[in-house]
Amino acid sequence: MEASPLVPDILFHIGFVPISRSVVTTWGIMALLFVVLRVSLGTPKVNAGPAQAALEVVVLAIADQLQQVLNRDPWPYMPLLGSLFIFLGLANLAAVFPGATPPTGHLETPAALAAIVFLSVHYFGIRTRGARKYFGHYLEPNPFLLPLNVLGDLTRTFSLMIRLFGNMMSHEFVIAIVVFLAGLIVPVPFLLLGVLIGIIQAYIFTILATVYIGGAIGAVET
Amino acid sequence: MNYIEIVSIIGAVIAVSFGAIFPAYSEGRAIAAAMEAIARQPEAAGTLSRTLFVGLAMIETMAIYCLVIALLLLYANPFVG
């Protein structure tokens, strides 16, 4: 029982702050995104090269999905939700790189992302509908339901966090068990399944965040 | 191995098994209903599959809760010193 999946694997310390492998992977993903998007693509051109065209396909696919959920112009929400999806996709797929561990498989990263979603739901709700009207929807069908509405807000954020964490961590754990039981080639199908799970979880996290934001701005019935 | 550890292992097994049976059953029902709906109205497949994915994620969360409880019992049991 020494290889607990809940304990972060500490690589080194900066001062007294322990830096775990998942934090280093997060920095790697951030550096990769920055270098690929800013340095190698540079400023967007009208005559798109192959790299920019490929990126535009991804961005337009995300925007199209958001448009279908929100039923309104998705572009104000693209900086948050689009980068959430791209970051989560890369983070969940980090398991296939040797030496990297998916940061979403440890509790801190999903907790931080769920907190960002929780705060931005209120931010977009207040910005779109005004504070009075936005907080008024907590009193909606009946003022007696206020505690349940607040509780629902908190538990859905909690389950957003636990869902991502549980899926990624359990998958990592399954691979560890399979590697422990049987040698070299056997874990490969599980790794392929992990690619599928990672992309689906990134999609689900983004879509749920979109649905929550849509509920806050009054576009979607939640 | 003392009494509490044995009981927590049994508890973890029960949590995982029941947390696998019922979400699997309900996910099967949800997928069957969605497939029926897609077979009737293939043009609504996009909306249906998006809603299906979100619904499956909601159902699966229950299974994940059971898994988290089982792992807490096995690895971070507050009653084992």
Side-chain angles (χ1 to χ4, degrees), chain A residues 49-96:
Chain A
Q52 193 192 335
L55 194 67
E56 278 175 5
V57 169
V58 175
V59 170
L60 286 180
I62 299 173
D64 181 48
Q65 287 289 320
L66 298 187
Q67 158 86 45
Q68 284 177 21
V69 175
L70 292 170
N71 286 324
R72 62 172 71 188
D73 179 28
W75 290 103
Y77 312 103
M78 274 299 280
L80 174 70
L81 296 168
S83 48
L84 199 58
F85 178 73
I86 291 174
F87 173 75
L88 277 174
L90 285 177
N92 291 350
L93 293 182
V96 298

Side-chain angles (χ1 to χ4, degrees), chain B residues 28-41 45 48-49 51-52:
Chain B
R29 287 192 58 166
I31 293 172
M35 291 197 130
E36 229 170 77
I38 290 176
R40 280 181 204 188
Q41 282 183 304
L48 279 170
S49 50
T51 323
L52 176 70

Side-chain angles (χ1 to χ4, degrees), chain A residues 1 68-69 159 163 166-167 169-170 173 203-204 207-208, chain B residues 50 53-54 57-58 60-61 64-65 67-68 71 74-75:
Chain A
M1 281 205 192
Q68 284 177 21
V69 175
S159 76
R163 179 180 304 116
N167 273 296
M169 182 269 299
S170 61
F173 202 40
Y203 173 76
I204 284 175
I207 286 292
L208 282 177
Chain B
R50 193 180 60 243
F53 269 124
V54 173
M58 294 286 181
E60 204 177 296
T61 312
I64 296 291
Y65 283 160
L67 177 78
V68 169
L71 286 178
L74 291 180
Y75 290 102

Side-chain angles (χ1 to χ4, degrees), chain A:
Chain A
M1 281 205 192
E2 56 275 356
S4 165
L6 303 175
V7 176
D9 132 26
I10 304 296
L11 286 185
F12 56 91
H13 286 70
I14 294 179
F16 58 91
V17 183
I19 304 296
S20 67
R21 190 181 288 273
S22 51
V23 173
V24 176
T25 314
T26 313
W27 289 344
I29 292 167
M30 277 158 34
L32 182 80
L33 282 177
F34 183 79
V35 169
V36 168
L37 296 183
R38 179 59 68 193
V39 178
S40 70
L41 285 176
T43 49
K45 290 179 273 299
V46 176
N47 290 324
Q52 193 192 335
L55 194 67
E56 278 175 5
V57 169
V58 175
V59 170
L60 286 180
I62 299 173
D64 181 48
Q65 287 289 320
L66 298 187
Q67 158 86 45
Q68 284 177 21
V69 175
L70 292 170
N71 286 324
R72 62 172 71 188
D73 179 28
W75 290 103
Y77 312 103
M78 274 299 280
L80 174 70
L81 296 168
S83 48
L84 199 58
F85 178 73
I86 291 174
F87 173 75
L88 277 174
L90 285 177
N92 291 350
L93 293 182
V96 298
F97 290 105
T101 180
T104 44
H106 295 274
L107 201 47
E108 311 88 26
T109 311
L113 293 177
I116 292 172
V117 170
F118 178 74
L119 294 177
S120 51
V121 163
H122 298 305
Y123 169 72
F124 283 125
I126 291 173
R127 203 184 65 174
T128 313
R129 292 161 85 184
R132 194 181 158 76
K133 210 164 166 223
Y134 173 68
F135 287 112
H137 94 277
Y138 281 103
L139 301 174
E140 255 167 20
N142 195 315
F144 289 115
L145 291 179
L146 173 69
L148 281 182
N149 282 334
V150 173
L151 198 65
D153 250 26
L154 294 176
T155 50
R156 76 183 187 187
T157 310
F158 183 72
S159 76
L160 198 63
M161 166 184 101
I162 291 291
R163 179 180 304 116
L164 183 61
F165 160 68
N167 273 296
M168 298 316 294
M169 182 269 299
S170 61
H171 173 252
E172 212 178 325
F173 202 40
V174 164
I175 285 184
I177 291 175
V178 171
V179 168
F180 175 70
L181 288 177
L184 194 59
I185 306 297
V186 187
V188 171
F190 291 93
L191 286 171
L192 287 178
L193 184 66
V195 172
L196 182 70
I197 291 178
I199 292 175
I200 287 182
Q201 287 307 318
Y203 173 76
I204 284 175
F205 194 97
T206 315
I207 286 292
L208 282 177
T210 316
V211 169
Y212 297 159
I213 289 176
I217 62 178
V220 184
E221 285 295 317
T222 42

